[in-house]
Amino acid sequence: KYPIVDSGRLDFKNSFANDCIYTDVEVNGKAVRVYNVHFQSIQLGQQDYAAIDSVEQKSKVKWTDVKAVVKKMKTAYAKRALQAEAVGAHAGNYSGNKIICGDFNDVPVSYTYETVRQELQDAFVAKGNGFGATFVNKLSIFRIDYVLPSKDIKVNSYRTVRENYSDHYPVCVTLTL
């Protein structure tokens, strides 16, 4: 519906499975840059979840497994920080309207979120309600997927679709330029 006038990719050299792409779309004679990101996950497996459960339940804890989880978390946080800094710097150098969206694999009080959000608004904060959970797990309270438009873009609606298509719930946002 809208012509693509430019596109590009930010290569996260510290990860083979994570990336950021952007597309400049012409809407009513003006370009809007849309970023789609997927930041580093912790990559927890069944053994890791079992280690976390053992600590929570105060049952027999295998400390080597718990240390492995902590190491994965430390590695993921460090990689995400660098990825967020790259996206934040790139988006900060773009003077037009922009929308950054995707899987941040981090919560709203994180370094990742704050580094990318900068002066952008959060569509969930503008029009969402409740916890806004987007990650499907046994607690289902984590919001780790975001739509962050420029302040000149109006957020009309926000909803999380409670369908299990993957380990994330889809997010539907309506915006007006």
Side-chain angles (χ1 to χ4, degrees), residues 70-152:
V70 171
K71 184 177 180 184
K72 284 182 177 184
M73 292 174 71
K74 182 179 175 184
T75 299
Y77 288 128
K79 285 184 176 185
R80 262 199 311 275
L82 294 173
Q83 294 165 357
E85 288 166 1
V87 172
H90 194 274
N93 288 329
Y94 183 73
S95 60
N97 279 326
K98 57 194 150 240
I99 303 164
I100 301 177
C101 56
D103 178 0
F104 285 28
N105 274 309
D106 225 332
V107 295
V109 294
S110 66
Y111 179 81
T112 301
Y113 173 85
E114 287 299 327
T115 300
V116 174
R117 187 181 60 82
Q118 298 178 33
E119 83 289 349
L120 303 174
Q121 59 182 321
D122 184 328
F124 173 78
V125 173
K127 291 291 181 176
N129 59 53
F131 286 109
T134 61
F135 183 60
V136 180
N137 66 5
K138 62 184 186 175
L139 294 178
S140 289
I141 60 168
F142 295 111
R143 181 166 71 100
I144 62 173
D145 302 281
Y146 302 91
V147 177
L148 308 174
S150 296
K151 296 218 186 285
D152 290 341

Side-chain angles (χ1 to χ4, degrees), residues 121-124 126-128 147 149-150 153-158 173-176:
Q121 59 182 321
D122 184 328
F124 173 78
K127 291 291 181 176
V147 177
S150 296
I153 298 174
K154 182 181 177 193
V155 179
N156 298 314
S157 66
Y158 178 103
V173 176
T174 306
L175 305 170
T176 301

